[in-house]
Amino acid sequence: SPPQRTRAIIAMRKSSMRTHALAVLTALALTTPHAVLALSAPKLARVALVKNTKMDAKTVRVRDVDLNHATQRARLESMYGVKSSSGLANAPSHSMPISNYMDAQYYGAIEIGNPPQSFQVVFDTGSSNLWVPSAKCGFLQIPCDLHAKFDSAQSSTYEEDGTPFAIHYGSGSLSGFLSKDDVKVGDIVVKGQGFAEATKEPGIAFLFAKFDGILGLGFDEISVDNVKPVFYNMMEQKLIDAPMFSFWLNRTTSEDGAPSVVGGELVFGGSDPAHFIGEHTYVPVTRDAYWQIKMDDFKVAGRSIGACDGEKGCQVIADTGTSLLAGPVETISKINNFIGARSMLGEECRMLIDQYAEQFVQELEDYSSEQICTSIGVCDAAGDETDVVSRVVASRKLLRNADSHRHGLHAPGVDSFKGPIACTACKTVVNYAQNLLAQNMTQDIIINEVKRVCDLVPNTGGTAAVDCGDIPHMPDVEFVIGGVSFKLTAREYILRISDGGEDQCISGFMGMDIPPPAGPL
């Protein structure tokens, strides 16, 4: 069969002489992901990324997308300080399934200890440590309780270390202690691998994660506590002949919309020619930490947006643990404006107006913008809670209670439309509506005009949405790497989800400013 078209392939190669990163097909498109770290060699191990077939794109809810965005943001904040060797068709291969959840979490099975204990882990080029939950998790550590846990007492090859271990995420610190044991990845058994047993996992990010832990494939320079990464031990123990690995990350749905069966594939020691077309493009790694390379330019509809001016260009990272395309807030805001994506704050503003239109107009004469926006939960109450018990509050409570009974979660948009920017936007909308009311405008005119103001809420690099019907007409974007242009269509950089039977389309571009020394990126 012809090679499958993929989102992006990044191939990384370690060498005693030089370190290279290889970009193939499209680009660093982790919303349409495809990453490769490959070398030709007799010893070739495949890890198949197996997809969760019970969850296709048509059953995904907005809450899941928000959670994944929050998970990715917390992970990136922690990592970056905010807070042609391809002809391997005849080489021996060993495969293992890797799963795809919502095109956002790609993970596969590994085994630790003897007899083996199985764990689902994210194979992450953005970190370098291996950690899994421990059977010694602390009291009330619910994220730990809901996942597989390593029990050292059950392994005959376990070696005690005990060194305290901690990785800091945006939502808190994941902590535990170091241990050693045999780790099996596909058919490769790494002897005496150092890893962390997590006894405390922060926030809800890990609570709802489909994976148990993380296996880092970054450089040893960023390994916490200087633990030698799994891939380094594979090379040192001569378990693979070529210092290379490659990813193929599939979509949840195929070109015709049918659910895909295979989540993807991870190959140690080479790349799989069944999953790419054309020639590989090699560029130097610019920093031995993450798989960081230079991007020459970024284009929308064939035109440069001026984000990579100068000889240095843009520094970018190929990160298989992140499903989004993250970049500086100012740049991402510009990109989202060019592709026609609107701020989700504006979308949620319109949603609130639709839900409370009649009550909203009735409130305009009686209460200030501060009181109205506080009563619906967009602004925080100053001092004691306001004594304004408005009809909007009652309606909001009824809506939340009814929706909780139906879905076990709050109405979309009501609780996510909050924070200083949302509060300012809300008061601007209310003040404008009060001016219209003073001019004796009708309710319909007021509501329509207010919705127009909602559309003007600025896109600050956060979550942005597009009209799903516009996708066929939206511009392509291009990543220029090593003088080669890697193009993504709107279908590839827009995340399409379903909420209550209605499709919602979210931009895959997320704004985040990475400070020095890791940034700017």
Side-chain angles (χ1 to χ4, degrees):
S1 61
Q4 298 185 35
R5 184 166 184 261
T6 59
R7 306 179 176 190
I9 301 181
I10 308 300
M12 292 103 173
R13 171 177 181 169
K14 278 194 66 67
S15 163
S16 58
M17 296 292 292
R18 301 180 65 185
T19 303
H20 289 82
L22 166 64
V24 186
L25 283 186
T26 49
L28 305 180
L30 299 180
T31 50
T32 57
H34 205 106
V36 180
L37 301 138
L39 283 185
S40 57
K43 293 182 180 179
L44 178 65
R46 282 188 172 86
V47 177
L49 307 183
V50 176
K51 162 183 178 47
N52 182 352
T53 55
K54 294 182 179 179
M55 177 65 69
D56 61 36
K58 295 300 182 184
T59 62
V60 174
R61 290 191 56 81
V62 172
R63 185 201 65 163
D64 298 310
V65 173
D66 289 340
L67 177 62
N68 276 300
H69 280 217
T71 303
Q72 305 299 344
R73 180 173 291 277
R75 177 179 167 279
L76 290 173
E77 287 172 348
S78 165
M79 288 166 46
Y80 305 125
V82 179
K83 123 167 167 182
S84 96
S85 301
S86 59
L88 302 176
N90 297 321
S93 64
H94 310 277
S95 64
M96 165 187 103
I98 288 184
S99 300
N100 170 8
Y101 178 67
M102 292 175 52
D103 293 342
Q105 297 179 27
Y106 290 87
Y107 51 94
I110 65 169
E111 295 176 344
I112 302 178
N114 289 288
Q117 301 175 42
S118 183
F119 300 90
Q120 297 290 332
V121 297
V122 172
F123 294 93
D124 178 24
T125 59
S127 66
S128 298
N129 290 87
L130 167 62
W131 66 262
V132 296
S134 175
K136 299 176 182 178
C137 274
F139 182 63
L140 291 180
Q141 283 297 310
I142 299 177
C144 187
D145 293 338
L146 295 178
H147 292 87
K149 296 177 285 293
F150 178 72
D151 187 351
S152 60
Q154 301 301 315
S155 176
S156 62
T157 50
Y158 169 74
E159 298 178 45
E160 183 178 356
D161 184 309
T163 302
F165 175 88
I167 294 181
H168 299 284
Y169 292 91
S171 56
S173 177
L174 182 145
S175 59
F177 57 92
L178 296 180
S179 295
K180 286 186 177 182
D181 211 327
D182 296 347
V183 174
K184 185 177 182 181
V185 183
D187 285 350
I188 299 176
V189 178
V190 180
K191 298 291 185 179
Q193 174 63 48
F195 66 99
E197 295 188 47
T199 56
K200 178 184 177 183
E201 299 180 37
I204 65 171
F206 295 111
L207 180 65
F208 294 107
K210 299 298 179 180
F211 55 89
D212 302 311
I214 293 176
L215 191 156
L217 291 169
F219 289 78
D220 58 359
E221 282 87 348
I222 60 170
S223 178
V224 175
D225 293 331
N226 297 313
V227 178
K228 187 174 294 185
V230 173
F231 186 56
Y232 279 70
N233 276 327
M234 286 184 182
M235 293 184 290
E236 186 174 288
Q237 297 176 22
K238 302 187 185 305
L239 301 174
I240 54 176
D241 286 346
M244 215 168 182
F245 59 90
S246 60
F247 281 89
W248 168 57
L249 303 180
N250 199 11
R251 293 178 177 277
T252 53
T253 54
S254 58
E255 291 284 346
D256 61 3
S260 58
V261 176
V262 180
E265 181 183 55
L266 168 58
V267 180
F268 286 100
S271 61
D272 189 343
H275 296 308
F276 67 88
I277 55 176
E279 297 298 323
H280 291 160
T281 299
Y282 286 91
V283 292
V285 166
T286 56
R287 180 176 177 231
D288 291 356
Y290 312 103
W291 289 97
Q292 183 170 326
I293 61 176
K294 172 188 173 183
M295 181 168 69
D296 304 323
D297 202 359
F298 183 87
K299 298 179 180 181
V300 178
R303 300 183 63 179
S304 173
I305 66 170
C308 300
D309 292 338
E311 186 68 25
K312 190 176 180 180
C314 292
Q315 293 297 302
V316 296
I317 288 170
D319 183 357
T320 58
T322 297
S323 61
L324 303 173
L325 291 158
V329 170
E330 182 179 353
T331 300
I332 295 301
S333 297
K334 186 185 296 186
I335 291 171
N336 279 329
N337 287 333
F338 279 142
I339 66 175
R342 301 179 300 274
S343 168
M344 282 296 288
L345 289 178
E347 291 297 295
E348 291 171 353
C349 171
R350 293 173 64 93
M351 193 180 301
L352 284 173
I353 297 301
D354 285 336
Q355 290 170 350
Y356 308 121
E358 184 176 348
Q359 297 95 324
F360 174 72
V361 174
Q362 292 172 354
E363 299 287 331
L364 292 176
E365 286 188 283
D366 300 327
Y367 303 113
S368 69
S369 60
E370 182 77 35
Q371 289 173 319
I372 292 175
C373 294
T374 299
S375 73
I376 63 176
V378 176
C379 297
D380 292 329
D384 295 334
E385 187 171 334
T386 178
D387 59 0
V388 177
V389 183
S390 67
R391 288 180 291 275
V392 175
V393 171
S395 299
R396 184 170 185 263
K397 288 180 178 178
L398 286 173
L399 179 63
R400 288 181 58 175
N401 290 338
D403 193 68
S404 295
H405 287 302
R406 290 198 306 270
H407 303 299
L409 47 98
H410 299 330
V414 173
D415 284 337
S416 53
F417 186 71
K418 55 175 58 176
I421 296 176
C423 178
T424 300
C426 177
K427 288 190 285 188
T428 300
V429 168
V430 172
N431 289 333
Y432 180 63
Q434 288 174 329
N435 288 334
L436 293 175
L437 185 65
Q439 299 174 40
N440 295 318
M441 297 293 181
T442 66
Q443 175 174 311
D444 287 344
I445 291 177
I446 291 174
I447 295 303
N448 288 332
E449 287 298 308
V450 165
K451 287 183 178 180
R452 289 180 58 190
V453 175
C454 288
D455 289 337
L456 298 177
V457 174
N459 188 333
T460 58
T463 307
V466 301
D467 187 328
C468 294
D470 290 341
I471 291 179
H473 313 293
M474 292 173 63
D476 294 340
V477 300
E478 298 174 56
F479 300 80
V480 183
I481 302 171
V484 179
S485 180
F486 299 95
K487 185 178 295 185
L488 295 179
T489 66
R491 181 184 176 275
E492 293 166 330
Y493 64 73
I494 295 295
L495 178 62
R496 188 166 189 152
I497 63 174
S498 178
D499 178 39
E502 295 185 4
D503 284 350
Q504 186 171 9
C505 292
I506 309 298
S507 168
F509 295 96
M510 178 182 73
M512 176 174 289
D513 291 321
I514 307 298
L521 294 171

